Amino acid sequence: MTEVIRVESLVKKYGDVTAVDNINFSIKKGHCFGLLGPNGAGKTTTIEIMEGLISPSQGEVLYYGKSVDDTMSQQIGIQFQHTALQDFLTVKETLNLFTSFYQKTTSHEQLIELCDLGEFLTRDNRLLSGGQRQRLLLALALINDPEIVFLDEPTTGLDPQARRNFWQLIKNIKAQNKTIILTTHYMDEAEQLCDDVVIMDHGIIIEKGTPAELLTKHFSDI
């Protein structure tokens, strides 16, 4: 299976603090790859380096064997942990705005169907529920038809039903053979969605493998 991303000897330091400490992993095409760990583990810093938003102190991230460059922003989709949307725009107007940022885009009809936006297209985005807002943010991450989609803790704060609905959306995206990089606090979420998992703490990788392998290794009960 094709290797899409390789992270090699990645280090990120902020003064005396080492946020990411010499980590290595690779991600295969069409897989959902999970980064797990508590707050402060280094997940978001790692993701931001992979997205090209910040530079590493040492090491590199390779896409199909090549270093990250300025063209990557057109080829990846990102759902940030916190996203500010323009006030006083409806969901449909927000889609139109973000479409103007990219050279290549997905049709709105596909996004509306895939992310189930139809019932609130004319609603001001400030009036959306938590689950509706996350579905809109997912649509915005997919608007440029990316091969690789980054989802940074996308279900934090959602109620159980909204979380499960969002899981199904992610499975639908994966069925299109897109590669997904997911950060999460929840092992149940990783078990449902991820093919491979890396667990970080204090900037280092403490475990890696499939969810089934990790559960078998560390838990003997149900």
Side-chain angles (χ1 to χ4, degrees), residues 10-11 14 27 58 62 65 74 81 96 107 116 119 122-123 126 130-131 142 146 150 172 175 184 195 197 206 218:
L10 201 64
V11 177
Y14 296 98
I27 302 172
Q58 297 174 40
L62 302 175
Q74 294 287 332
Q81 197 170 339
N96 289 336
S107 76
D116 196 17
E119 66 187 62
T122 57
R123 190 174 303 170
R126 296 171 298 166
L142 297 171
F150 290 88
N172 293 346
T184 180
D195 299 287
V197 170
I206 58 174
H218 293 282

Side-chain angles (χ1 to χ4, degrees), residues 70-104:
D70 293 340
T71 65
M72 284 306 302
S73 63
Q74 294 287 332
Q75 300 171 35
I76 63 175
I78 306 172
Q79 182 174 347
F80 293 103
Q81 197 170 339
H82 303 289
T83 300
L85 297 175
Q86 180 64 48
D87 289 343
F88 306 110
L89 291 185
T90 65
V91 169
K92 186 172 180 58
E93 289 167 340
T94 302
L95 290 174
N96 289 336
L97 174 64
F98 275 74
T99 296
S100 69
F101 299 156
Y102 295 100
Q103 298 158 3
K104 172 190 172 188

Side-chain angles (χ1 to χ4, degrees), residues 105-217:
T105 57
T106 302
S107 76
H108 287 187
E109 290 75 16
Q110 285 180 283
L111 289 173
I112 291 165
E113 181 178 359
L114 179 63
C115 298
D116 196 17
L117 306 180
E119 66 187 62
F120 51 88
L121 271 179
T122 57
R123 190 174 303 170
D124 188 314
N125 64 55
R126 296 171 298 166
L127 304 178
L128 301 178
S129 69
Q132 291 170 339
R133 180 180 171 83
Q134 290 303 88
R135 279 147 57 189
L136 171 58
L137 294 179
L138 181 61
L140 298 179
L142 297 171
I143 210 157
N144 60 324
D145 193 23
E147 288 188 32
I148 303 166
V149 184
F150 290 88
L151 305 176
D152 194 0
E153 298 184 20
T155 65
T156 298
L158 298 186
D159 63 67
Q161 182 179 5
R163 280 185 73 210
R164 290 191 172 274
N165 290 342
F166 200 87
W167 289 355
Q168 187 56 54
L169 297 183
I170 296 173
K171 290 176 182 177
N172 293 346
I173 295 164
K174 186 182 166 189
Q176 298 180 346
N177 203 34
K178 295 185 186 295
T179 304
I180 299 170
I181 296 95
L182 171 75
T183 67
T184 180
H185 290 296
Y186 308 119
M187 192 62 198
D188 62 331
E189 187 160 279
E191 185 180 14
Q192 283 284 328
L193 300 174
C194 295
D195 299 287
D196 301 292
V197 170
V198 158
I199 300 177
M200 295 184 68
D201 195 18
H202 294 94
I204 64 172
I205 292 173
I206 58 174
E207 276 289 5
K208 64 172 67 173
T210 68
E213 287 169 350
L214 297 183
L215 288 169
T216 300
K217 180 177 179 180

